[in-house]
Amino acid sequence: MPTSESYTGRYHAGLNGVRVSDAKGDPVEDAVATIIGDSLSELLDEMDRHGMERESCVF
């Protein structure tokens, strides 16, 4: 059984996308992080349409 991990997703203006990090704050770029980043990017696009600022979002 896989162990659970803790991830944080935050919009990163320099990347113009979501940066996913682990519990220590180190960047994560595995398959799970890619899925999380892609999903949160879609959510941020929807939030943009409703007038929210990307920079204020932390997941």
Side-chain angles (χ1 to χ4, degrees):
M1 176 179 223
T3 60
S4 65
E5 300 282 336
S6 176
Y7 295 96
T8 300
R10 180 184 302 261
Y11 176 72
H12 188 280
L15 299 174
N16 194 30
V18 176
R19 178 179 183 260
V20 179
S21 54
D22 63 14
K24 296 183 281 186
D26 297 326
V28 179
E29 297 179 0
D30 63 9
V32 173
T34 300
I35 293 167
I36 292 169
D38 290 348
S39 298
L40 292 178
S41 290
E42 290 181 29
L43 178 58
L44 288 170
D45 289 343
E46 185 63 26
M47 293 172 76
D48 276 346
R49 286 190 278 278
H50 293 279
M52 299 183 80
E53 294 182 18
R54 290 176 171 250
E55 291 80 6
S56 67
C57 299
V58 177
F59 303 96

